Amino acid sequence: PQWPAHPDWQRFVAAPTTPDVHPVRIVSTTGSVSGATTLVGSGVGRATLTMTPGGRSPVIVVDYGQDVGGIPYFAVQSESGMPLLHSAYSEGLQYLGPQGDQTPQNSPTGDPNRFDDLIVDSSGTLTTGTIQGGERYEGISLTSPGRLTLTSIGIRFTALRTTAQNYRGW
């Protein structure tokens, strides 16, 4: 047969087209959360999570639209009270819990946990710098009192990211 045997094969290459992957939708919010939908896409958002002493933890659950692996990051515009940002990761929404989906990591460069806890004491970009492999859903919450405004969240994709014409074989 003539190459390519199936001219639409490029649509099956699921690698992101940009190095940063952003949420495609907000699945849910609970507690004191405002502006969560502004975190969808790659624009500048303004989502605020607030937790009062003895109050309920605010939670945003986001969907990246596809299973990706990489280094999660959080762009912080402002904070007060030095809150603890907790983020949990899962490939399937039904398995997303406070500790993530508890899938064991497969790489020595990967994070051994399926969650991250970051103390927010200033504005800027927060990350652990370690890879969370295989996540589609992310639960973001505050687990200590304070207020946090995020302008962007995402995952810096760390696997091979190439265009379809660079793949060989059929």
Side-chain angles (χ1 to χ4, degrees):
Q2 197 89 35
W3 168 257
H6 192 290
D8 285 345
W9 67 270
Q10 290 92 340
R11 67 186 171 102
F12 296 108
V13 178
T17 57
T18 61
D20 289 335
V21 179
H22 298 279
V24 298
R25 73 180 178 113
I26 302 299
V27 175
S28 65
T29 63
T30 56
S32 181
V33 174
S34 66
T37 58
T38 66
L39 296 176
V40 172
S42 60
V44 175
R46 189 173 162 90
T48 302
L49 295 90
T50 305
M51 183 176 177
T52 58
R56 186 171 159 189
S57 183
V59 180
I60 303 172
V61 176
V62 302
D63 177 1
Y64 286 96
Q66 62 183 336
D67 194 29
V68 295
I71 301 171
Y73 65 87
F74 310 88
V76 176
Q77 180 184 40
S78 62
E79 62 77 33
S80 64
M82 225 164 65
L84 184 66
L85 172 68
H86 179 82
S87 186
Y89 313 97
S90 180
E91 292 182 83
L93 184 57
Q94 69 271 33
Y95 303 114
L96 181 62
Q99 306 301 309
D101 61 12
Q102 298 302 297
T103 303
Q105 57 102 3
N106 293 318
S107 166
T109 60
D111 192 326
N113 296 312
R114 293 295 283 160
F115 66 90
D116 292 317
D117 286 318
L118 301 162
I119 297 172
V120 186
D121 59 1
S122 65
S123 61
T125 302
L126 292 176
T127 182
T128 64
T130 55
I131 296 169
Q132 279 290 345
E135 65 257 13
R136 176 174 173 174
Y137 299 96
E138 180 177 20
I140 301 163
S141 62
L142 297 185
T143 57
S144 68
R147 182 183 191 100
L148 171 65
T149 299
L150 298 168
T151 57
S152 179
I153 62 170
I155 299 168
R156 173 63 48 107
F157 190 71
T158 53
L160 176 65
R161 186 178 59 82
T162 188
T163 56
Q165 65 264 23
N166 293 324
Y167 286 97
R168 301 290 182 236
W170 50 285

